[in-house]
Amino acid sequence: MEQEQDGYRIRVMSRAELDRAVDWARDEGWNPGLHDAGAFHAVDPGGFLVGLLDGEPIASISVVRYPGHEGPGNFGFLGFYIVRPEARGRGYGWRLWQAGLRRLEGRTVGLDGVVAQQENYRRSGFALAHRNIRFGGSAPRGTIGGTSLVDARHIPFDELLALDGALFPAPRAGFLANWIALPGAVALAAVDGDALRGFGVIRPCHEGFKVGPLYAADAAVARDLLLGLAAAVGEEEGETPLFLDVPECNGPAVELARELGLTPQFETARMYLGLAPVLDTARLFGITTFELG
């Protein structure tokens, strides 16, 4: 990590400091999950950096290394890039950004960038892959169609992992195992006999609930999963805000969100530094999380 200079120092966060970074994300309006931090930290405990000015934390970034399919890891994800408002415009964020990218050197790096920062990311070599749109509104209610939905934790874990591996650039068994077991979360799988047709998780956030990931063979399966997840949180219609982060390149996913009464809240851009992975976005109806991909 960077040596102290002008009273500013960069180092790895403690687990408690990650809780603070999640609070900062809440202040920024990103609405993180209530229990995200533990699952995030377990992926790569050294992948969360804090910038301190005269000993006080003023900036954060996550630069998580995911394991590779063969040998050493080759994919990383950047998130939690926040500088406290009172410390902005003084170069502290840029120094933290550079330290973070050094940690991910040699890897393809993904991020979901807010509009205000996208041009800065381009200048650092990131290229747009697709936009994501956060849809939100009252939790949709409706009749589930012909899809058979079961508790995803009763599905062989290797099957969930294989589906996740087809729709995310790196294997993440530890993360996924934690994610489906978060306090207050519900994980559902769509099955047809022995075939896994989809999978989704809904978890409590500071405001309402967020669905992610939402994987489905087609829009009909995605609709049933989304309705099943919304029903599983057990709230009355109109009282529960629900959010879903949709890749704009999946047209049926955008249409589904609108059909169920959700409206755009804000957008991000999925961008990559290095060779962009090839993913089957036609089955990707909801991003897992903007912070870790």
Side-chain angles (χ1 to χ4, degrees):
M1 292 296 99
E2 183 175 317
Q3 296 297 313
E4 185 166 343
Q5 180 181 351
D6 303 326
Y8 185 62
R9 179 177 175 237
I10 295 169
R11 61 163 170 78
V12 174
M13 288 185 196
S14 68
R15 173 62 183 80
E17 286 170 330
L18 180 54
D19 287 333
R20 180 191 292 116
V22 172
D23 287 341
W24 289 355
R26 180 185 180 184
D27 293 344
E28 295 294 320
W30 299 350
N31 193 28
L34 295 179
H35 307 289
D36 287 359
F40 288 172
H41 191 261
V43 175
D44 180 6
F48 300 87
L49 308 183
V50 60
L52 304 106
L53 182 62
D54 298 326
E56 292 296 319
I58 61 164
S60 67
I61 197 168
S62 61
V63 279
V64 166
R65 296 169 175 166
Y66 283 101
H69 291 275
E70 299 178 3
N74 60 4
F75 183 72
F77 204 86
L78 187 153
F80 280 111
Y81 183 39
I82 303 169
V83 179
R84 298 298 290 164
E86 65 274 13
R88 292 174 185 171
R90 299 162 64 184
Y92 299 127
W94 173 241
R95 286 159 64 180
L96 184 60
W97 170 269
Q98 291 177 305
L101 285 185
R102 283 195 295 272
R103 188 172 192 273
L104 296 178
E105 189 172 0
R107 298 167 182 258
T108 291
V109 182
L111 61 77
D112 286 313
V114 297
V115 172
Q117 290 292 332
Q118 287 168 20
E119 186 54 41
N120 289 333
Y121 299 150
R122 288 189 186 93
R123 285 197 289 267
S124 290
F126 284 80
L128 176 69
H130 57 78
R131 288 201 313 158
N132 299 313
I133 303 170
R134 174 162 294 175
F135 282 89
S138 296
R141 307 293 172 183
T143 301
I144 295 173
T147 306
S148 177
L149 302 179
V150 300
D151 188 330
R153 286 164 281 202
H154 296 161
I155 299 293
F157 185 68
D158 285 351
E159 294 183 24
L160 298 180
L161 191 60
L163 178 55
D164 187 67
L167 300 174
F168 187 76
R172 49 178 182 175
F175 171 79
L176 193 63
N178 277 298
W179 199 246
I180 64 176
L182 288 175
V186 174
L188 293 179
V191 296
D192 182 4
D194 292 333
L196 179 62
R197 302 268 292 159
F199 162 60
V201 178
I202 189 168
R203 69 194 197 279
C205 295
H206 288 276
E207 179 186 0
F209 290 80
K210 197 177 294 179
V211 173
L214 182 61
Y215 301 149
D218 55 42
V221 172
R223 179 183 185 276
D224 286 350
L225 269 169
L226 191 55
L227 290 175
L229 290 166
V233 300
E235 299 288 342
E236 294 298 322
E237 184 173 2
E239 294 183 0
T240 308
L242 181 144
F243 302 93
L244 177 68
D245 298 329
V246 177
E248 188 185 37
C249 55
N250 185 339
V254 173
E255 292 176 14
L256 174 63
R258 295 186 186 278
E259 172 197 331
L260 293 178
L262 304 177
T263 58
Q265 309 288 306
F266 69 89
E267 68 178 72
T268 68
R270 173 61 61 88
M271 306 178 80
Y272 292 105
L273 176 67
L275 185 64
V278 178
L279 302 174
D280 183 7
T281 55
R283 292 190 289 161
L284 180 56
F285 284 77
I287 302 292
T288 304
T289 162
F290 285 158
E291 290 77 25
L292 262 71

